[in-house]
RNA sequence: GCGAGUGUAGUUCAAUGGUAGAACGUCAGCCUUCCAAGCUGAAUAUGCCGGUUCGAUCCCGGUCACUCGCUCCA
């Protein structure tokens, strides 16, 4: 992983944000090649979703519409989604056991006579565990001698008298701290609670907020989908693993609205489609893993979620989440309907009935996808000068080809320039004239350019150039006239 | 947020209480007819802030970042 991070910096894929100031934990910038790669992945997703959506089970193309909603929305929408209420749980750390507890998940036995210490327990602790611990530490007191109170109901000033759940001495618990995952900001020039707003922690809310607008303006009929790509922000406790968990990231989310009884069919449909997508951009199925998220780990709104996981270098041999496909039920529309007071029911004219559609959400991290593409492409090959090459699918590669005059002299350069000007109309290509040919091949290997066209003495004789293939380093001759056709053939099918 | 470790050119590594050196890469020139070749030259570093000291890259403190473990990940 270290090597990948260093290659990303060295060649201009991904830099630490504010690098010259020493960086900022959890934020990353995309360099010249990184932004191309990210755009390629994003554009492919957008094309596969919105421009040419898949063929549905009935044989005709399904309907998906795109939106691009604001990052900052009315803060009430985050109350509806549960982000404001549900995720501000005060947490308490134990200085000795190094554990962290939710203050509302810890209860405390406070002595009724006010003498001696109080004892904290996890809310799930069984009675016999509690009794045993009291026997050891409470100097003869029994459960009946205590009053049971939740930790978040106790004044932190009295924490000094409490013995934490996993320790033997009092005074190790810190004050409760709020851990709100949402970044907040203020709308308007004055900073106060009345104009507090949030940076969206996920893009899907903007879809639900526009669900009615899209329906009304586009004659959409259930089942249909709304797609969005955009930035989201989460104040992660621990940004880790390069761009995998960062505080500012980019999501590609589809909300698929359908009838409740068709949920199982569409769920399977999207699972299959999304798997196909990842394969098509270069992630082999062998490196993917499908995690049926266990009930106890499901989000509050979801009754079924499958995580599409990828074998990242930092997780290997295990996998980490790349995409989540969730059945969100009608939770979001119900909540927004209630909080906004706007009716969001769908009217099915054919059957003359109103209902709130259920939602299947394939939600993926664009920036995580970029990381997966880079990790997957990273190929060590000691036999070649660069020692490594990036095995991108040609369609994903930031640069599709490099045009290299064999020498900087003679008539190689003008021919190369002409070819470059011609190719760049259709493809993102490089023209590189300086230094010997080996160095230039090596450089292109490191950034994953699939093809290099080399102009040599023979070119002026027979109007042909050498194509050098990145993965095999093999060469073949192609006539100048056929270079475009060659590109078209090799890039469109991959 | 806690604990442990780390921090020297783009990268990988040296060295030192007296102000840093190499290799590779990068750039320029020469030379080169297909894989980081050769020759000549050049630019570039002690994360940041403070303290101790005559003097700190080195010792101390803070901070920032990275790695690992915990925690978190709706």
């Amino acid at each position: 992983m270290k090597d990948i991070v260093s290659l990303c910096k060295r060649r201009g894929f991904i830099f630490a944000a504010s690098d010259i100031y020493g960086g900022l934990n959890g934020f990353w910038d995309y360099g010249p090649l990184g932004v191309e790669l990210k755009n390629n992945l994003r554009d492919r997703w957008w094309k596969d979703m919105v421009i040419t959506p898949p063929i549905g089970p009935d044989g005709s193309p399904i309907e998906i519409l795109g939106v691009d909603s604001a990052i900052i929305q009315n803060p009430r929408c985050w109350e509806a989604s549960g982000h404001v209420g549900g995720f501000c749980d005060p947490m308490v750390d134990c200085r000795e056991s190094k554990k962290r507890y939710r203050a509302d998940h810890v209860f405390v036995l406070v002595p009724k006579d006010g003498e001696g210490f109080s004892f904290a327990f996890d809310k799930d602790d069984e009675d016999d565990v509690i009794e045993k611990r009291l026997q050891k530490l409470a100097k003869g007191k029994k459960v009946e001698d205590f009053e049971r109170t939740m930790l978040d109901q106790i004044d932190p000033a009295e924490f000094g008298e409490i013995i934490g759940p996993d320790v033997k001495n009092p005074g190790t618990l810190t004050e409760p701290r709020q851990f709100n995952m949402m970044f907040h900001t203020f709308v308007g020039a004055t900073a106060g609670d009345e104009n507090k707003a949030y940076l969206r922690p996920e893009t899907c809310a903007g879809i639900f907020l526009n669900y009615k607008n899209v329906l009304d303006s586009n004659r959409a009929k259930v089942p249909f989908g709304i797609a969005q790509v955009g930035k989201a922000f989460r104040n992660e406790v621990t940004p880790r693993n390069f761009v995998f968990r960062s505080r500012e990231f980019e999501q590609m989310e589809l909300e698929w609205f359908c009838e409740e009884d068709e949920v199982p069919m569409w769920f399977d449909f999207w699972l299959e489609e999304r798997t196909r997508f990842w394969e098509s951009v270069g992630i082999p199925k062998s490196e993917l893993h499908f995690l049926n998220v266990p009930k106890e780990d499901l989000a509050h709104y979801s009754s079924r979620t499958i995580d599409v996981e990828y074998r990242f270098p930092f997780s290997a041999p295990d996998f980490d989440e790349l995409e989540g496909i969730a059945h969100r039920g009608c939770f979001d529309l119900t909540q927004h309907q209630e909080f906004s007071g706007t009716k969001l029911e769908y009217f099915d004219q054919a059957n003359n009935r109103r209902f709130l559609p259920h939602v299947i959400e394939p939600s993926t991290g664009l920036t995580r996808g970029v990381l997966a593409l880079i990790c997957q492409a990273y190929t060590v090959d000691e036999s070649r000068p660069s020692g490594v090459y990036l095995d991108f699918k040609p369609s994903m590669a930031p640069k599709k080809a490099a045009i290299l005059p064999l020498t900087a002299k003679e008539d190689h350069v003008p021919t190369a320039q002409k070819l470059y000007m011609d190719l760049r109309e259709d493809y993102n290509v490089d023209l590189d004239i300086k230094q010997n040919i080996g160095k230039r091949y090596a450089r292109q290997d490191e950034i994953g350019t699939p093809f290099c066209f080399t102009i040599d003495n023979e070119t002026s004789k027979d109007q042909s150039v050498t194509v050098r293939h990145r993965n095999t380093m093999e060469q073949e001759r192609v006539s100048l006239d056929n270079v475009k056709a060659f590109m078209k053939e090799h890039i469109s099918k991959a």
Side-chain angles (χ1 to χ4, degrees):
Chain A
M1 198 62 208
K2 236 178 127 183
D3 297 333
I4 293 176
V5 176
S6 128
L7 174 70
C8 282
K9 179 175 186 187
R10 188 152 41 89
R11 288 304 180 193
F13 283 91
I14 299 169
F15 309 118
S18 327
D19 201 8
I20 60 171
Y21 286 96
L24 183 61
N25 196 358
F27 296 88
W28 300 91
D29 291 345
Y30 288 76
L33 297 176
V35 66
E36 296 298 334
L37 180 61
K38 182 154 72 78
N39 287 349
N40 288 344
L41 186 58
R42 180 199 63 194
D43 293 347
R44 169 66 75 85
W45 186 90
W46 192 259
K47 178 165 189 300
D48 281 10
M49 286 295 176
V50 180
I51 312 293
T52 58
I55 307 299
D58 67 354
S60 54
I62 59 174
E63 181 177 23
I64 299 179
L65 302 152
V67 296
D68 185 9
S69 70
I71 284 171
I72 295 172
Q73 301 279 356
N74 188 311
R76 288 264 296 156
C77 106
W78 304 114
E79 292 171 28
S81 67
H83 287 89
V84 172
F87 314 110
C88 305
D89 311 309
M91 306 294 284
V92 169
D93 288 311
C94 175
R95 293 188 192 91
E96 195 169 319
S97 71
K98 308 300 177 200
K99 290 196 174 177
R100 168 176 291 168
Y101 315 94
R102 273 177 66 163
D104 60 337
H105 282 185
V106 172
F107 68 87
V108 181
L109 297 180
V110 183
K112 286 179 182 166
D113 58 9
E115 300 287 322
F117 296 121
S118 305
F119 297 86
F121 295 89
D122 189 274
K123 71 172 171 40
D124 295 326
D125 281 348
E126 306 282 344
D127 286 350
D128 57 322
V129 173
I130 296 170
E131 274 168 33
K132 262 191 193 161
R133 209 159 150 247
L134 286 182
Q135 260 176 23
K136 264 193 199 167
L137 301 170
K139 299 175 181 168
K141 280 186 183 164
K142 295 252 161 61
V143 180
E144 305 81 66
D145 301 322
F146 293 90
E147 193 139 353
R148 190 177 160 134
T149 316
M150 295 314 283
L151 184 61
D152 58 350
Q153 300 302 310
I154 295 176
D155 183 347
E158 290 166 29
F159 278 18
E161 300 302 308
I162 300 173
I163 300 178
D166 298 285
V167 293
K168 289 173 184 166
N169 295 305
T172 62
L173 296 180
T174 64
E175 277 188 33
R177 279 176 288 225
Q178 296 280 326
F179 285 86
N180 190 338
M181 299 297 273
M182 280 195 293
F183 283 93
H184 60 251
T185 185
F186 301 96
V187 176
T190 53
D193 272 349
E194 63 285 351
N195 53 12
K196 190 170 172 178
Y198 301 94
L199 270 52
R200 66 181 176 201
E202 55 187 15
T203 54
C204 70
I207 294 179
F208 295 120
L209 298 182
N210 283 293
Y211 154 86
K212 189 177 178 346
N213 283 338
V214 171
L215 265 183
D216 291 348
S217 60
N218 286 272
R219 303 190 301 165
K221 276 187 182 160
V222 169
F224 74 106
I226 304 179
Q228 170 159 234
V229 178
K231 294 251 185 182
F233 305 82
R234 292 180 195 175
N235 217 340
E236 296 286 357
V237 177
T238 314
R240 274 289 156 91
N241 294 326
F242 203 25
V243 297
F244 180 79
R245 176 165 300 131
S246 46
R247 291 182 165 136
E248 174 175 344
F249 57 104
E250 219 160 331
Q251 289 186 309
M252 308 189 288
E253 294 200 293
L254 168 71
E255 306 301 327
W256 179 254
F257 300 92
C258 64
E259 296 195 42
E260 186 175 3
D261 55 5
E262 290 188 338
V263 160
M265 178 187 81
W266 286 114
F267 196 99
D268 293 344
F269 174 84
W270 281 114
L271 181 58
E272 200 173 307
E273 282 301 325
R274 297 306 304 144
T275 307
R276 198 200 314 271
F277 172 84
W278 286 113
E279 287 183 286
S280 79
V281 297
I283 307 292
K285 210 170 176 179
S286 60
E287 298 303 302
L288 293 175
H289 176 252
F290 301 89
L291 176 72
N292 208 334
V293 178
K295 269 216 169 66
E296 60 270 26
D297 295 340
L298 285 174
H300 58 286
Y301 52 73
S302 181
S303 55
R304 184 187 178 198
T305 299
I306 288 186
D307 282 347
V308 181
E309 301 182 313
Y310 172 71
R311 201 194 313 267
F312 288 97
F314 49 79
S315 67
D318 292 329
F319 301 78
D320 228 325
E321 184 181 352
L322 183 58
E323 169 151 356
I325 300 170
H327 175 210
R328 295 181 75 113
C330 54
F331 170 82
D332 302 273
L333 292 180
T334 305
Q335 289 292 107
H336 288 304
Q337 180 166 265
E338 185 187 326
F339 277 71
S340 69
T342 305
K343 272 227 182 307
L344 297 176
E345 283 179 326
Y346 176 79
F347 180 58
D348 176 4
Q349 283 210 23
N351 298 299
N352 194 32
R353 62 188 191 98
R354 292 172 194 280
F355 63 96
L356 280 180
H358 274 229
V359 171
I360 316 286
E361 176 196 73
S363 162
T364 192
L366 170 56
T367 35
R368 276 187 186 182
V370 168
L371 180 59
L373 288 187
I374 292 172
C375 293
Q376 183 63 38
Y378 190 86
T379 310
V380 174
D381 178 3
E382 302 289 354
S383 75
R384 68 176 69 202
S386 59
V388 66
Y389 66 101
L390 293 183
D391 178 19
F392 291 126
K393 283 236 176 187
S395 56
M396 289 295 115
K399 297 283 181 185
K400 307 301 185 201
I403 293 98
L404 312 173
L406 189 55
T407 68
K409 289 197 163 172
E410 310 191 39
D411 52 357
H412 299 170
V413 174
T415 311
Q417 278 166 337
K418 189 166 168 294
L419 180 59
Y420 167 70
M421 293 306 285
D422 192 25
L423 278 183
R424 72 171 203 171
E425 294 297 322
D426 299 307
Y427 302 102
N428 191 339
V429 293
D430 252 3
L431 172 67
D432 192 356
I433 296 169
K434 297 281 180 144
Q435 294 180 328
N436 74 58
I437 192 71
K439 285 191 184 189
R440 285 177 282 166
Y441 283 152
R443 210 184 344 248
Q444 296 300 332
D445 278 349
E446 266 197 335
I447 66 171
T449 307
F451 308 107
C452 291
F453 296 103
T454 304
I455 287 85
D456 56 19
N457 284 343
E458 282 179 54
T459 305
S460 51
K461 290 178 201 153
D462 64 1
Q463 297 297 304
S464 73
V465 294
T466 303
V467 189
R468 184 247 193 201
H469 294 258
R470 175 194 62 207
N471 289 12
T472 59
M473 297 194 282
E474 277 169 7
Q475 301 186 350
E476 57 177 309
R477 295 297 288 195
V478 184
S479 87
L480 269 174
D481 296 341
N482 285 335
V483 168
K484 268 202 169 176
F486 176 95
M487 290 291 285
K488 194 176 174 191
E489 184 198 341
H490 284 81
I491 288 169
S492 63
K493 75 177 181 192

